Amino acid sequence: MTLASLASGSPAAASRFLQRWLGADPARQARLDEVCRLSLADADLGALLARELDAGLPLPRAMRRLRNLLVCAIIRRDLEGQADLDEVVSTMTRFADFAIQTHAAALAEELVATHGMPTGEESGRPQQLMVLSMGKGGGGELNVSSDIDLIFVYPEDGETAAGPGQRQLSNHEFFVRLGRRLNAALSEIIEDGFTFRVDMALRPNGNSGPLAASLNMVEEYLIVQGREWERYAWVKARAVTGDPEDIAALDAIVRPFVFRRYLDFGVIDAIRNMHAQIRAEVKRQERLHPERSHNVKLGRGGIREIEFLAQVFQLIRGGRDPALRERSTRATLRLLAERELLPQDTVARLLEAYAFLRNLEHRLQYLDDAQTHTLPASEEDRLTVARMMKLPDVPTLLARLEEQRAFVAAQFDAIFADKSESADPEVATLADDPENREAIGARLEELGYDDPRGAAARLVATLQGPRLASLPEASRAKLLALGDAALGQIATVVREAGIGSHAATLGRLLDFFEAIARRSAYLSLLTEYPHTLERVIRMINASGWAATFLTQHPILLDELLDDRNEGAGSPEQLAQLAAELDQQLHAAAGDTERQLDILREAHHAQLFRLLALDLAGELSVERLADHLSLLADTIVGATIRHAWRTVASRHREEPRFAVIAYGKLGGKELGYVSDLDVIFLYDDEDEMAPSNYAKLAQRFITWNTAHTAAGILFDIDTALRPDGASGMLVSTVAAFERYQMASAWIWEHQALTRARFCAGDAAIGARFEAIREQVLRQDRSSREAELKLEVLAMRRRMRDANVNRSELFDLKQDEGGMIDIEFIVQYLVLRHAADYPQLTANAGNIALLRVCGELGLIDAGLAQAVADAYRAMRRLQHQVRLQGQEKARVDPQLLGAHPDAVRRLWQACFGA
């Protein structure tokens, strides 16, 4: 491209800045051609600067000339279709980093020569300046004509180690001087222009604060004075210079300020208020200067709204999901799609809008290398910009701009619009008089509550209670507004569901409100996402256990924000969970408490998704148990892998160790609150193996049963191990085999019918399955009477230990109940597996009953009747547990003839 080609219609001719730059020196054309040949993202900036320095220019002039060359090359490559948005912003960011690093190093060397090396008072270490790039520079998405937002931080106070002829300075004074000189080197306008305009307003205390701050000053400022909008700004902070150890120390200070350990939905209101202030200022400017309308950065549906959309999710969730601490807006948006926090198509449209708006912003700046974000007033310039965007005319440009901005604005409003509805002035609210029991009772009676006076009394008592009465005013206002919304929703939910009690559901909701009242983030979540409150009400109306579980783990509110339940508990979804757990647990290595919470939070979230499907009637009891068992296997596997890494004396990287599941987990009949019956096996000749695997087993138990802020995982029962409570916690595979073949009791072989490999070393799992087959298929035909007596004796001991003195039927323990069915199946397996190996399949009681009927071992019709009884009892047991009852006892009439069928089969098998 020559000056002649510029004049003849090259796209780059649209840039007046490029034309002026080329016109000032004919030699620049060849230089530009050379630089434009390849992608600027890979340009050797050091070599390009060296060429300017070799011409005898001082560093500030050489850097400015390099800047002008790069900007012109970007303009040309972009407008001629050779560079995409990524090349443009990454080139400018790389150059900004390069300019900062080069000038900072040269200026520090000069100051050290004059004053000596700054040295830490406590550490005695040499000190280096950390230059933090903020905003788009920090995010790697710098504009072509952008200023750069910087913050200067130094590690610690102290003094320079001044030698002879040097004047000693405090570290603070040294770094303030260095900062001033760096700003001047970058931003002073000289004969070659400037390198970057520098904005220091984001530093602690803004423009009134010191130019450079120590780590201690930064920490104190963020803790004592840090404001919500500063959290938003510090998300992007990226150290361009400094010692890695000091940068890590700064990151440890900033991270907890920006990213809270809880889900911080309060940030939505903070960003909404900040955005309102920005929009008010933009509107004021547009009123004063109508020609400056169409601000693509700060206007409605502009770049800033896309940035806010990305960053609100970072601030809400970044404390719990380190991947969301990404600095780039585009990378963050893609993560939101991966995490299913925004729909894929929404993210695709936002990325398209972002690219359009950023490209338009660059073309506005290409005209004259001006830091502008508004369409030009001149119609001629607008047409030039339209053609730079490869659009035919200004109306088409404005239509495309409006289309993109309308979509962005709609997405922004979906999250940030104020959700608090204007109350009908004719309708009394709780805030009007929260202690007026009569008025509240009358309102509840109008809504159709079954016990309006009792419900009103409970509501007033809760609002007057110490936990809610002492709330901050803002939190109490939110709680009262939520209470108002809930009263009508409870009436609707009870009417539509056809089950539940208004008073009971209100009581459960008030218990929940009391649990979350002091966590303003949860009140904010329910306020910002009103549909979540309705989902809470539907869930706690359906299940008392669900209400208790949610009250104990309110973090699970996050699971009700959207429909993430599809595929919950499936093998594919749990494989993804296992991979995510490994990643998170690895990242938290060294912080055992955090690792325990990661496991609990993941398990509770999955459990809650299954609960939502269960209450919606989308899972049978059998499918639910399968999902819960597979989920437990996943959690057990992750626990083993990562607990092993905490055993300091471990003698190999991967343990030759397996967890064997018995009982409900072994039979894949796990419920929401079932214990895990497990034993531990290992196969390892190393002399350290016994002690190390004993430590691993103990840690496995601790990791599951320890109470943390996130609750517990599972209660663990290891009583089924060889020799029970008096036996070793861990056994070798060989010892387990010897015990099962020579020493085990009949009841231990009964237990083995429901045992399976759960997690750990698959080879040990295969060995276990072979031993199990061998034990179960022993020929017991000659000992049939002894087998029956042993099974009957064990059943009698269990019944004596669980006497039911009520008139209700105990689904598990009573005659004709579930344990009788389980004992029948176990007896049939032990008695006949030698002849029918298919009976050793861990297929569940219903399937095994059918097989026994088909084989003629029991009457096929009776087998089907007992299978139906077992299915019905499991369903009833599940319903009772969902209502929060500890013992599974029901009215006998609900069971019909089911217990009689079980008793008949018991009689047929045992004659007793």
Side-chain angles (χ1 to χ4, degrees), residues 28-47:
R28 288 175 176 171
Q29 182 65 60
R31 190 80 196 281
L32 183 62
D33 290 343
E34 180 188 348
V35 172
C36 284
R37 205 164 288 130
L38 299 172
S39 169
L40 297 170
D42 304 317
D44 186 341
L45 300 177

Side-chain angles (χ1 to χ4, degrees), residues 391-699:
L391 298 172
D393 49 42
V394 175
T396 306
L397 171 64
L398 294 177
R400 285 288 310 279
L401 176 60
E402 179 54 33
E403 177 192 345
Q404 299 292 356
R405 285 169 49 158
F407 178 77
V408 173
Q411 299 308 310
F412 184 88
D413 286 346
I415 291 177
F416 290 103
D418 193 343
K419 311 301 192 306
S420 53
E421 298 176 9
S422 301
D424 183 342
E426 302 300 317
V427 176
T429 67
L430 291 176
D432 294 335
D433 191 357
E435 298 180 10
N436 190 333
R437 193 176 301 184
E438 288 72 24
I440 294 170
R443 181 179 168 193
L444 298 183
E445 190 168 11
E446 218 173 276
L447 287 168
Y449 272 55
D450 43 27
D451 179 12
R453 304 300 164 197
R458 170 68 204 275
L459 177 56
V460 171
T462 301
L463 294 175
Q464 290 177 337
R467 190 170 292 203
L468 301 192
S470 59
L471 283 179
E473 189 176 334
S475 294
R476 185 168 172 81
K478 280 181 183 173
L479 190 71
L480 290 171
L482 290 170
D484 269 318
L487 295 179
Q489 287 181 10
I490 288 171
T492 302
V493 165
V494 171
R495 183 177 66 252
E496 290 178 354
I499 59 166
S501 146
H502 302 90
T505 301
L506 177 62
R508 292 167 183 173
L509 184 65
L510 291 174
D511 288 341
F512 175 64
F513 279 167
E514 283 192 293
I516 67 168
R518 296 205 169 275
R519 298 291 295 273
S520 61
Y522 295 134
L523 298 178
S524 295
L525 184 157
L526 291 168
T527 303
E528 299 293 347
Y529 298 93
H531 67 277
T532 305
L533 177 62
E534 184 190 347
R535 288 181 175 184
V536 168
I537 291 168
R538 288 190 183 282
M539 187 167 271
I540 65 179
N541 177 67
S543 167
W545 182 83
T548 302
F549 190 61
L550 186 57
T551 301
Q552 289 170 342
H553 308 290
I555 194 172
L556 295 171
L557 275 176
D558 181 43
E559 299 299 319
L560 295 176
L561 285 177
D562 48 44
D563 295 313
R564 295 182 223 165
N565 303 325
E566 188 177 341
S570 68
E572 298 77 20
Q573 195 261 346
L574 289 175
Q576 182 184 343
L577 172 67
E580 289 172 2
L581 274 176
D582 276 339
Q583 186 180 2
Q584 292 180 41
L585 291 167
H586 183 72
D591 184 350
T592 303
E593 185 179 349
R594 181 67 198 128
Q595 289 181 310
L596 266 57
D597 282 348
I598 286 168
L599 288 165
R600 282 151 179 72
E601 288 158 8
H603 179 247
H604 293 157
Q606 294 293 323
L607 204 68
F608 202 63
R609 292 180 188 185
L610 292 170
L611 176 62
L613 290 174
D614 180 16
L615 294 179
E618 294 181 32
L619 289 177
S620 66
V621 175
E622 291 81 7
R623 276 191 65 208
L624 173 66
D626 285 344
H627 289 328
L628 288 172
S629 301
L630 190 53
L631 171 60
D633 289 355
T634 304
I635 297 293
V636 168
T639 304
I640 288 297
R641 284 192 298 278
H642 292 274
W644 176 244
R645 289 171 192 162
T646 69
V647 178
S649 58
R650 66 185 184 278
H651 56 285
R652 62 175 70 253
E653 276 311 298
E654 296 299 326
R656 292 181 183 169
F657 178 92
V659 178
I660 306 301
Y662 280 73
K664 294 289 187 191
L665 178 59
K668 297 183 182 177
E669 293 183 353
L670 211 61
Y672 289 119
V673 290
S674 300
D675 297 353
L676 301 190
D677 293 293
V678 296
I679 68 166
F680 308 110
L681 300 180
Y682 70 94
D683 186 18
D684 193 334
E685 298 298 324
D686 192 284
E687 62 180 12
M688 295 294 292
S691 60
N692 279 339
Y693 292 134
K695 287 177 188 173
L696 175 57
Q698 194 55 61
R699 282 186 198 183

